[in-house]
Amino acid sequence: MLQVNLEKHLSQFSLRVAFEIGAEILVLFGASGAGKTMTLNALAGLSAPARGRIALNERVLFDDAARVNVPTRARRVGYVFQNYALFPHLTVRENIAFGVRAGRATRVDEMLTLTGLAEFANRYPAQLSGGQQQRVALARALAPRPDLLLLDEPFSALDAPTRMELRWELGERQRQFQIPTIFVTHDLGEAYLLADKLAVMERGEILQMDTPGEILRHPCCLPVARAVGVKNVLRGEIIAPTRARVGDVLLDIPPAPFATGARVHVCIRPERVMLLRPERAGASSDENALHGAIVREMSDGANATLYFRALDARLDPTQDYDLQIELPVYIYERLNLARQRAWTVSLRKNAIHLIGAA
């Protein structure tokens, strides 16, 4: 069990984080400069907080009130740095052995086998691929049997197939070693794949911490909504317990704890906007149906982003489109969206999330 409550004053903001995790993966997610790496450094003992307390499995690592600050070498923390920090003059075997005290040869052999590096044991880091170097860094962090594992954007410099393979391997190692693990990233897909718990950070604070699915469906505030990819954020007003006015449109909404007349942000994820086939449009079961057209689009080869503009009643008359829609390219092709531009969309109530607005 890791218990953290710390504060550290930085030049542009103060880092204030508090959380508790067991043998699971916590992903710290946020833009660069949010305080994610500084949090890891404080846990590892590389940077001392101004105040607070850090406890790991009943051992107090830091407590300003009790004047406890256990040095890095005695914290039993494994750390995988963004640039791997391998020793270039040491072989793979010697890098993994660094920090191992008892039973060194046996433990290194175990880690070489576990990470698939046995055949590369006598090579130097410069003779390895990026993925192999990352495996060495992970093996070195785990070899001393740490009580806590920290990883600072370890896959950011790798190609997509290697990243996917190593994400799976990290999950396997965490389940095998059963220790608290904290992973830093600003890649939302990576965060969703790895996290048992996700913490969204901004300017040194954790804005929301929960399961990834819960945060994506129910962000607690506008900064979290934008951070986790909510592209459709529309200003609205509650006019009834299950109705809101958004622009020129009256939308059916899920029950929400807002009084009539309250101003709200209506949040809809782009992948939750439903395109209705022409033969289906107009069905009585269609929720919040809007008729309109696709006015522009973008694609990265795997997914397409569509910009939809309603024909009559508009959700957002201040811009040239009302909704962003995201879908896989194969769906784009199957629906013949390159030619078929007129569509009806449906905004299901269970796809709508409301956040209070000032």
Side-chain angles (χ1 to χ4, degrees), residues 26-333:
L26 168 66
V27 172
L28 302 182
F29 173 76
S32 297
K36 306 183 299 295
T37 298
M38 184 57 68
T39 301
L40 296 194
N41 289 343
L43 295 175
L46 300 177
S47 176
R51 60 183 58 88
R53 189 174 188 271
I54 303 170
L56 177 61
N57 297 337
E58 309 303 325
R59 287 194 306 130
V60 177
L61 304 183
F62 177 85
D63 189 329
D64 72 294
R67 302 195 176 198
V68 173
N69 188 9
V70 176
T72 299
R73 64 182 180 276
R75 290 198 176 197
R76 298 187 55 81
V77 173
Y79 201 148
V80 179
F81 296 91
Q82 186 172 2
N83 62 357
Y84 314 151
L86 300 178
F87 299 112
H89 61 290
L90 300 182
T91 64
V92 168
R93 176 180 292 278
E94 291 166 339
N95 263 282
I96 295 174
F98 188 85
V100 179
R101 297 291 178 260
R104 174 177 291 189
T106 300
R107 182 58 175 169
V108 171
D109 286 340
E110 288 176 0
M111 296 309 301
L112 286 168
T113 301
L114 188 65
T115 54
L117 291 168
E119 63 182 293
F120 307 105
N122 296 317
R123 293 190 187 182
Y124 291 91
Q127 299 173 309
L128 303 175
S129 69
Q132 290 164 346
Q133 290 181 29
Q134 185 54 264
R135 289 185 176 92
V136 176
L138 180 60
R140 184 180 64 183
L142 291 171
R145 295 182 174 87
D147 295 327
L148 171 66
L149 178 63
L150 309 175
L151 304 102
D152 188 6
E153 299 193 51
F155 308 146
S156 59
L158 303 176
D159 59 85
T162 303
R163 283 202 307 271
M164 186 61 71
E165 182 179 353
L166 287 174
R167 288 166 186 163
W168 180 85
E169 288 186 18
L170 174 61
E172 288 294 297
R173 298 293 84 77
Q174 195 280 330
R175 283 186 285 273
Q176 180 177 5
F177 284 83
Q178 285 292 298
I179 58 175
T181 300
I182 303 181
F183 187 101
V184 162
T185 185
H186 57 257
D187 182 318
L188 180 61
E190 184 168 72
Y192 192 88
L193 282 167
L194 286 172
D196 296 304
K197 289 181 180 175
L198 177 63
V200 180
M201 293 189 68
E202 182 179 87
R203 293 186 60 80
E205 296 187 1
I206 295 176
L207 301 181
Q208 186 173 0
M209 180 170 162
D210 211 318
T211 63
E214 180 62 21
I215 291 179
L216 264 64
R217 288 190 300 270
H218 303 117
C220 67
C221 59
L222 207 54
V224 171
R226 296 198 186 281
V228 299
V230 178
K231 304 294 178 58
N232 301 303
V233 180
L234 306 160
R235 295 192 70 86
E237 179 184 354
I238 302 296
I239 62 171
T242 58
R243 276 216 138 178
R245 185 187 305 279
V246 181
D248 306 322
V249 180
L250 295 180
L251 292 181
D252 293 324
I253 59 173
F258 296 103
T260 299
R263 303 286 181 176
V264 294
H265 295 292
V266 179
C267 301
I268 306 165
R269 297 192 62 83
E271 67 273 16
R272 300 295 302 276
V273 180
M274 293 188 62
L275 285 169
L276 302 179
R277 292 182 177 274
E279 62 270 20
R280 269 218 51 200
S284 60
S285 61
D286 293 340
E287 294 182 46
N288 297 319
L290 296 172
H291 306 291
I294 298 166
V295 294
R296 53 192 170 95
E297 63 189 60
M298 295 189 303
S299 174
D300 63 4
N303 296 289
T305 299
L306 312 177
Y307 295 83
F308 174 87
R309 177 187 172 105
L311 284 180
D312 299 317
R314 300 284 310 281
L315 292 169
D316 189 352
T318 66
Q319 55 185 15
D320 66 344
Y321 68 93
D322 292 287
L323 294 165
Q324 284 191 47
I325 306 168
E326 292 182 1
L327 71 173
V329 164
Y330 80 92
I331 297 293
Y332 175 92
E333 294 172 347

